[in-house]
Amino acid sequence: MKGKSVGFFIISSAIIWGAVMIGVTILVKDSPNKHMINMILTMGATTHLLFIWAPLGVMFKKMKEQQKKEE
């Protein structure tokens, strides 16, 4: 896996979670809407898993398979 690919996923992860935290902060500032906070956090975690860690898992699996073929 190239360094640029890993860096992209790390930066993407930070951006997603930064947006989640900003959204939570905005909601908590004015009112105690716990169900809305829960929804934002759930959406953030789901997005993170689907768009960051699932592709990373696929890339790691392909790398592992390629290493086995080379041996």
Side-chain angles (χ1 to χ4, degrees):
M1 184 180 312
K2 296 183 179 181
K4 289 182 180 181
S5 296
V6 174
F8 170 77
F9 286 110
I10 292 170
I11 291 170
S12 298
S13 176
I15 290 170
I16 289 169
W17 284 109
V20 169
M21 290 300 123
I22 290 170
V24 168
T25 301
I26 290 169
L27 279 176
V28 170
K29 179 181 166 187
D30 293 330
S31 66
N33 290 324
K34 292 181 182 180
H35 66 282
M36 294 297 291
I37 294 168
N38 187 30
M39 183 173 57
I40 289 172
L41 291 173
T42 301
M43 288 176 7
T46 302
T47 302
H48 186 257
L49 288 173
L50 289 175
F51 294 107
I52 303 301
W53 290 110
L56 267 179
V58 170
M59 289 170 62
F60 284 135
K61 185 177 179 181
K62 286 180 182 179
M63 263 183 39
K64 201 172 192 180
E65 290 173 359
Q66 185 177 3
Q67 286 176 350
K68 284 182 182 181
K69 287 180 183 178
E70 291 175 359
E71 292 176 354

